[in-house]
Amino acid sequence: MTTTPKPHWRPHPTRRLILRGAASVALLGLGNLPFAAAPARAAANDKYPEEAFRQKSEADAIKALYGKTAEPSDKVKLDAPEIAENGGVVPISVTTTLEKVSSISFFVAENPSALAASYRIPDGTIPAVANRLKMARTTKLTAIVEADGKLYSATKEVKVTVGGCGG
Amino acid sequence: MKRSLGLAMLLALSLAPSARAANEADYKAAYAAAEAASKEAAGMRNQWTVTLSALAAAKKAADGGDFDRAVAAAREAEALAKASIFQASSEKEAWKAMEIR
Amino acid sequence: MASSIRVRATSSGDITEVQALIQHPMDTGLVKDSKGELIPAHFIRQLKFECNGKDVFVADWGTAVSKDPYVKFSFKGAKKGDELKISWTDNKGGSDTTIAKIA
Amino acid sequence: MKVRIHLLLGSLGAALVAFALAAPRVTAADKVDPVADAKAFQNFFFQKFPNVKHEDFVNGPYSMNEDMKRQWQEKEEFPPYEFALDAGKEMLSTPFKNGKTYADCFPNGGIGIRQNYPYFDSGEGKVVTLELALNRCREANGEAPYSYVKDEMASLTAYMAYTSRGKPMDIKIPDDPRALAAYENGKRYFYTRRGQMNFSCASCHVQSPGERIRAETLAPALGILNAMPIYRSEWSGMGTTSRRFVTCNSQTRAVPLEPQSDEYRDVEYFLSYVANGLPISGPGARP
């Protein structure tokens, strides 16, 4: 279900209404939180991959996060700009036709630490993610999908440089 | 093209290194000249950022006692300020050439 | 104070598409401020989406996620009117949560 | 990197020479004729980019480059200026300490009027921009003025621009010699070279729109202010027209003037006037 891009300058009445609806509901929802603290049980098994985020290189980060290596696969569709509009906000998305996907992660090789983001995909959730990442400089970008215990990857190069003429 | 050649020559001319080691008096003179040119450029509302940084570099070098570098920086500041004055006065008419008609 | 989470969940058929934009500086800890001092790292570590009592999406984020982060995903098994609970926690112990109805 | 900049300057220099030679003969008596200027200005861009739809020019670099347009439309689904919009909406209706609000200073409560700014104030004999009018309204009601280059002013103007989205720019030049002079002063500023880079606004936005200046694609000058204020990824924040003028100056290594000084007000007047008829598309999101 792809939304056809509406010509930009026409106002988006529908988008505003939905947003306003969501925002007002959001405020409403805050009031009657059924339970104060999130249940400890749920927090226990959501271990934040501390070690993996600390690794500098991509290989170490993948090993720390998954403990195995990935093999490139054309079933992983990685969409990223050829030249980033701006290194601070690079829209990146990945989709895959693989089955039984449990996790999707993004690695930016040239960043201070390679692992940028990692998503857990419970069953019932479509194996696809779009997000905006920072890239320090022109770099290889790798998306890894964990499906049925095996790792599949796709890689793309994104050119990143500063803008402007001097200053 | 003729105009930017003028700018380049002006810049090159003024950067000639002076022979003997500079002292505080040389620095004060060079800095005063640079500051005057910079004020004139500001008066024409066409100051360059590099002029101000060169002036600051000159003052910093002088505070550190390195008068050779201070004089060189002050001379560069003066040249830059003069170039911006040249630019402002020549542009008074030159802008029309680029106007879309 | 309005919630820091803007969310839009629209369902068509069995698939619910979720887009979220969160107001957060996402400082990496490697950037200097105008006075030359390092701005300490301040970023969202985990963002969780729950629907009908079940986690539908969990994001573990590092410092490479953009400022005012945005994320989009879809999931099955929910219908119009269900409630989607979104909550995040950051490395300074900050957090926020909100509940949105699926449109 | 250094080499590339010199290469770039060289190529731009060559482009300038080519343009200077190709520029049509300078007409003898330079009578100021804004109507003819606007027609010539718009035709220049319509002919230079025949397959860009006229109203698309207001989308700046995105009208020039397909790949960047795709990145932008993706972001527009949930644009980064959402927070500024909501903050601006709240600020516009929040009363000052004396109980009055912005609605008391602006026609129609400030809603859907952005396309008429800047306007020429015959009383003052000068151009008044939206940002200036907002701060004057604050000061008239005993409130401290906002900085012209910070978020509050950007949020306010963002929401006011949003309420005018799609409305054609509608700038008037009254039959007043001072108005014509302000328009001409703005035009002169736009075409005057400055800074050590020796660039004018036109060097980039008239001669090289669509071309790259390192990572950025240059926006055409036509409609360049229609999207103001803009959220710039480079600033990772909102930017007002004032902030854009100040940063453009320092890019060419020219020391910027004070925000809202006469030259900036006049160049905004000129650029908005020649974009008359093109839709307001603010707030915008830019690289």
Side-chain angles (χ1 to χ4, degrees), chain B residues 1 3-4 7 11 45-50 52 80 87-88 91-92 94-101, chain D residues 19 23 27 30 40-41 44 184 187-188 191-196 198 200 206-207 253-255 261 263:
Chain B
M1 208 31 127
R3 243 181 345 357
S4 45
L7 289 191
L11 264 180
R45 292 171 81 75
N46 191 45
Q47 183 82 271
W48 290 359
T49 51
V50 283
L52 299 182
L80 290 167
Q87 179 187 56
E91 278 302 302
K92 277 203 173 52
W95 69 271
K96 290 200 174 75
M98 292 176 62
E99 185 193 349
I100 297 173
R101 286 176 190 292
Chain D
F19 181 81
T27 50
D30 276 354
F41 199 88
F44 174 84
E184 186 68 6
K187 179 164 71 173
R188 180 181 314 111
Y191 287 109
T192 299
R193 293 171 176 287
R194 56 184 57 84
Q196 188 182 26
N198 202 25
S200 66
V206 168
Q207 277 147 39
R253 297 186 185 162
V255 171
S261 49
E263 288 92 333

Side-chain angles (χ1 to χ4, degrees), chain C residues 32-99:
Chain C
K32 288 196 173 64
D33 61 19
S34 47
K35 286 187 293 307
E37 283 129 23
L38 271 180
I39 302 169
H42 181 205
F43 61 94
I44 291 175
R45 286 161 56 99
Q46 193 170 81
L47 168 69
K48 207 168 343 146
F49 293 78
E50 288 162 77
C51 183
N52 299 334
K54 182 169 84 70
D55 281 356
V56 288
F57 193 70
V58 177
D60 294 321
W61 280 346
T63 55
V65 175
S66 301
K67 174 178 185 284
D68 296 339
Y70 164 85
V71 70
K72 176 165 109 173
F73 69 96
S74 306
F75 70 99
K76 294 200 189 108
K79 54 186 176 345
K80 271 192 186 20
D82 286 358
E83 281 191 352
L84 181 67
K85 176 169 174 250
I86 306 105
S87 48
W88 59 259
T89 53
D90 67 22
N91 66 322
K92 282 188 170 166
S95 69
D96 194 357
T97 185
T98 191
I99 293 177

Side-chain angles (χ1 to χ4, degrees), chain B residues 12-99:
Chain B
L13 250 182
S14 64
L15 292 184
S18 64
R20 59 160 176 75
N23 58 33
E24 179 147 19
D26 302 329
Y27 158 68
K28 282 226 168 5
Y31 191 84
E35 205 171 28
S38 159
K39 280 208 168 50
E40 189 187 345
M44 302 172 84
R45 292 171 81 75
N46 191 45
Q47 183 82 271
W48 290 359
T49 51
V50 283
T51 309
L52 299 182
S53 35
L55 275 174
K59 199 189 284 280
K60 192 156 171 279
D63 296 348
D66 179 347
F67 291 115
D68 277 337
R69 220 148 49 79
V71 166
R75 284 234 176 81
E76 192 200 347
E78 184 188 359
L80 290 167
K82 285 218 161 77
S84 63
I85 293 164
F86 176 85
Q87 179 187 56
S89 31
S90 68
E91 278 302 302
K92 277 203 173 52
E93 284 309 313
W95 69 271
K96 290 200 174 75
M98 292 176 62
E99 185 193 349

Side-chain angles (χ1 to χ4, degrees), chain A residues 1 3 15 18-19 22-23 25-27 29-30 33-35 38 42-43 46-50 53 88-90 108 111-113 115-126 128-134, chain C residues 1-3 6-8 10 12 15 17 21 25-28 30 43 45-46 48 54-68 70-76 85 96-101 103:
Chain A
M1 192 240 359
T3 52
R15 184 165 70 81
I18 295 174
L19 216 51
V25 157
L27 292 185
L30 268 183
L33 263 185
F35 41 85
D46 298 349
K47 193 168 62 47
Y48 177 77
E50 200 73 49
F53 274 111
V89 182
V90 186
V108 180
N111 270 1
S113 26
L115 177 56
S118 172
Y119 299 92
R120 260 169 270 143
I121 314 286
D123 40 20
T125 297
I126 314 283
V129 180
N131 56 20
R132 296 169 188 161
L133 300 181
K134 294 181 201 165
Chain C
M1 210 285 286
S3 159
R6 295 280 188 287
V7 66
R8 184 174 351 129
T10 48
S12 65
I15 295 180
E17 186 192 74
L21 185 74
M26 298 302 280
D27 292 323
T28 59
L30 308 168
F43 61 94
R45 286 161 56 99
Q46 193 170 81
K48 207 168 343 146
K54 182 169 84 70
D55 281 356
V56 288
F57 193 70
V58 177
D60 294 321
W61 280 346
T63 55
V65 175
S66 301
K67 174 178 185 284
D68 296 339
Y70 164 85
V71 70
K72 176 165 109 173
F73 69 96
S74 306
F75 70 99
K76 294 200 189 108
K85 176 169 174 250
D96 194 357
T97 185
T98 191
I99 293 177
K101 263 212 176 31

